[in-house]
Amino acid sequence: MHVTLVTLSGLLFNDTAQEVHIRTPLGAMVVLPHHEPLSGVTLSGPIVIVDQENNDEIFASYGGLVEISNNQVRLLVDEADHARDLVESEIAEALHAAQEMKLNAKDQTELAEAQRLIDRHAVRLEVTQLRRRTRR
């Protein structure tokens, strides 16, 4: 099946794949070739695309849309980071800083921003750990 992953910054993946793993409001989902047509929302979390050579392309996504039809999967997200671009130690530090920011928030705006950063860094950290497990 053909898979495209598009962000506001551009195209991150555009190739054939064996399967795609995403998170939806109803739970984790694996899309295989010839999946029934579907349009829906994706949640923050890893997007794992297993390519034709059985390699995992892993992205940290912060939610978006998925459309499946005619043996094609289209993922439209505002932003996504490829696992190879993420540094676990830096993300762990940023997560800790965001947690401190939340503890010291002076108003709802600061609290909301801190939580947004916590959620973002938690997804990125999960992806780095997932990448480490898939390399073994």
Side-chain angles (χ1 to χ4, degrees):
M1 73 186 151
H2 191 84
V3 178
T4 55
L5 173 58
V6 181
T7 70
L8 293 175
S9 302
L11 194 61
L12 294 184
F13 188 91
N14 185 29
D15 206 346
T16 56
Q18 297 179 39
E19 58 190 68
V20 179
H21 301 246
I22 56 174
R23 288 193 183 148
T24 73
L26 297 176
M29 178 178 174
V30 178
V31 180
L32 299 171
H34 307 291
H35 193 285
E36 287 292 317
L38 171 77
S39 293
V41 174
T42 64
L43 298 179
S44 293
I47 294 175
V48 180
I49 302 170
V50 182
D51 68 18
Q52 291 300 91
E53 289 78 38
N54 212 33
N55 297 313
D56 291 346
E57 296 289 335
I58 307 171
F59 299 87
S61 168
Y62 313 105
L65 302 171
V66 62
E67 179 186 43
I68 305 166
S69 65
N70 300 321
N71 212 32
Q72 294 185 7
V73 179
R74 289 177 207 87
L75 293 155
L76 307 170
V77 299
D78 285 347
E79 193 177 351
D81 299 305
H82 196 288
R84 71 174 168 257
D85 299 328
L86 301 175
V87 179
E88 187 171 359
S89 60
E90 292 175 5
I91 296 165
E93 287 178 29
L95 178 58
H96 180 70
Q99 290 165 335
E100 289 291 318
M101 177 189 228
K102 183 177 180 179
L103 290 173
N104 298 318
K106 295 179 180 94
D107 57 33
Q108 286 297 96
T109 303
E110 287 181 11
L111 187 63
E113 176 62 13
Q115 188 61 54
R116 185 189 71 77
L117 291 171
I118 289 169
D119 294 343
R120 176 185 172 83
H121 295 311
V123 168
R124 296 174 88 204
L125 194 58
E126 179 183 359
V127 166
T128 63
Q129 293 164 350
L130 182 61
R131 178 187 65 194
R132 190 173 353 122
R133 281 195 307 266
T134 61
R135 284 185 179 172
R136 294 178 183 169

